[in-house]
Amino acid sequence: MRTVFWENDSLHLIDQRRLPGSLEIVVCRTHAEVAEAIRTMTVRGAPAIGAAAAFGLALAALESRARDAAGLRADLEAAARLLKETRPTAVNLAWAVDRVLESVFVRLSVSKSVDDLRLSVLAEAQRIADEDVETNRRMAGHGAALLEDGDTVIHHCNTGALATVDWGTALGVIRMAHEQGKRIHVLVDETRPRLQGARLTAWELEQYGIPYEIITDNMAGHFLRTGQAQKVLFGADRIAANGDVANKIGTYMLALAAHDNGAPVYSVAPTSTIDFSLAHGGLIPIEERAQDEVLAIQFGGERVAPAGARARNPAFDVTPARLITAIVTEHGIVRPPFDVSLIKVAGKVNR
Ligand code: MRU
């Protein structure tokens, strides 16, 4: 089953708030419901929210009562604004929304009836979803070459099938290496505060039969320093033109610890995650989420923080390019200097 799929004129999502306790499907019938599902992290992970938002536009097209292309375009642009506002850091979301609008209104609108345009919105959303699966498999094929039989790797957040339409980014690389017969052991960062590692990555690794142990985020440095982990893998929510990587909060500290111990650091992401409009990671907008995600934690059945405690909750941080050994894309493995190699891999200049 895909994480994000279209059936009976509605968008179906695996409810990631319920896992690993139960596998439930949420059905969205309006674009506003899709926006809410993204905001509440019912669906999460950069490529997954991109595909979900694209299908959100398909729902907006069905909802629209417009009788001409201009009216449909105005309705879809309003829906696009709502969808894009939900989560600001992962560029895949804006990328997918813009791609749908461009494909329908810039390349098609002259020749098509308004009903055909509605269908074109859905067709483009479906293409984005299908391509994501293919892209992830290609990345996995490239990235698996970086893993050796017997490696123990530290993995941050959830980058698996659940974070994408299917297969995953960094976890897809681990899965491919495992399927190739390499013995890979995964130390799963639990990933405070939403615990995507302990809940979702561990659940996926159980399905794939890949050996793993959960560690708290603050244990990673110890395992790297003592040589019990040799490599670090994570995804990306946005990569600036110079190779700075925005990813789940905690990635920066993990990369620092790896760098200090000479362990390679690999970010695995499709080229749709690269934002060439931003020169460096300091320009990437960082989502701040509700304090309660940090304060809700319990110990011995009691809330840990005293009444009245306040918290900070940036959902992402930026790892400078100098700490990244390589970025794995669907077109191959990219190494420093990233300001040159990323442009080449995205096909922006002739080789
Ligand atoms: O807040 P989330 O759970 O959406 O954050 C997800 C991540 O940070 C992933 O590592 C990232 O999207 C890349 S993996 C597909």
Side-chain angles (χ1 to χ4, degrees):
M1 185 198 300
R2 288 183 170 186
T3 300
V4 174
F5 60 98
W6 184 265
E7 214 172 81
N8 299 331
D9 283 347
S10 50
L11 177 62
H12 292 57
L13 304 167
I14 293 181
D15 189 341
Q16 304 201 30
R17 300 163 305 173
R18 300 266 173 260
L19 285 169
S22 60
L23 178 57
E24 292 174 28
I25 302 295
V26 165
V27 181
C28 299
R29 295 188 174 82
T30 65
H31 73 277
E33 286 174 4
V34 177
E36 191 55 14
I38 296 172
R39 197 175 292 115
T40 56
M41 295 175 67
T42 303
V43 61
R44 45 140 304 277
I49 62 177
F55 283 120
L57 286 182
L59 287 170
L62 292 181
E63 290 167 66
S64 169
R65 295 283 151 258
R67 290 168 181 222
D68 58 20
L72 182 65
R73 184 173 188 162
D75 287 345
L76 290 195
E77 282 175 350
R81 278 194 294 279
L82 181 76
L83 289 160
K84 280 187 187 179
E85 276 166 9
T86 54
R87 298 200 70 192
T89 303
V91 76
N92 306 63
L93 198 164
W95 169 85
V97 165
D98 289 342
R99 176 171 149 175
V100 171
L101 291 182
E102 192 190 313
S103 83
V104 176
F105 294 107
V106 179
R107 282 188 262 131
L108 284 180
S109 70
V110 206
S111 54
K112 296 240 178 186
S113 74
V114 71
D115 280 337
D116 284 348
L117 289 176
R118 282 191 175 87
L119 291 176
S120 308
V121 176
L122 175 58
E124 189 65 15
Q126 190 61 58
R127 255 192 300 278
I128 287 173
D130 294 343
E131 279 175 23
D132 181 61
V133 184
E134 179 55 29
T135 295
N136 293 338
R137 282 184 175 272
R138 285 169 61 187
M139 283 194 300
H142 295 304
L146 298 169
L147 300 186
E148 287 158 66
D149 187 33
D151 272 347
T152 293
V153 303
I154 300 184
H155 173 276
H156 197 62
C157 196
N158 172 265
T159 67
L162 291 168
T164 60
V165 177
D166 202 355
W167 191 265
T169 59
L171 204 62
V173 166
I174 292 168
R175 187 173 166 188
M176 182 67 84
H178 169 80
E179 288 191 2
Q180 290 171 350
K182 294 177 188 169
R183 283 161 299 174
I184 309 294
H185 187 84
V186 188
L187 293 180
V188 176
D189 265 356
E190 65 176 354
T191 316
R192 283 276 288 143
R194 301 268 316 199
L195 303 173
Q196 290 95 329
R199 295 188 304 111
L200 306 175
T201 299
W203 182 78
E204 285 198 44
L205 290 170
E206 286 283 344
Q207 321 286 311
Y208 311 145
I210 300 175
Y212 72 93
E213 292 159 301
I214 296 171
I215 59 172
T216 61
D217 301 346
N218 54 0
M219 293 175 184
H222 165 75
F223 288 111
L224 288 158
R225 179 142 177 78
T226 54
Q228 295 178 74
Q230 294 81 43
K231 286 165 191 168
V232 161
L233 272 93
F234 47 80
D237 286 82
R238 194 184 299 224
I239 301 175
N242 70 343
D244 291 350
V245 171
N247 190 53
K248 178 52 53 194
I249 193 75
T251 303
Y252 172 47
M253 291 207 324
L254 177 61
L256 275 174
H259 192 257
D260 191 44
N261 290 287
V265 174
Y266 300 122
S267 173
V268 184
T271 46
S272 54
T273 305
I274 307 169
D275 185 349
F276 287 103
S277 75
L278 300 184
H280 60 84
L283 301 171
I284 297 174
I286 299 294
E287 175 184 359
E288 285 269 350
R289 294 188 62 87
Q291 294 182 48
D292 205 48
E293 291 184 349
V294 174
L295 297 173
I297 189 155
Q298 298 201 339
F299 191 80
E302 300 281 334
R303 195 169 157 127
V304 171
R310 297 182 62 76
R312 298 292 303 272
N313 190 14
F316 301 94
D317 59 26
V318 174
T319 299
R322 67 184 162 79
L323 300 179
I324 309 266
T325 311
I327 296 171
V328 180
T329 74
E330 71 274 29
H331 301 305
I333 297 168
V334 177
R335 293 185 186 271
F338 292 117
D339 51 352
V340 178
S341 55
L342 286 176
I343 289 179
K344 271 193 185 164
V345 84
K348 298 265 168 164
V349 294
N350 296 327
R351 281 158 205 251

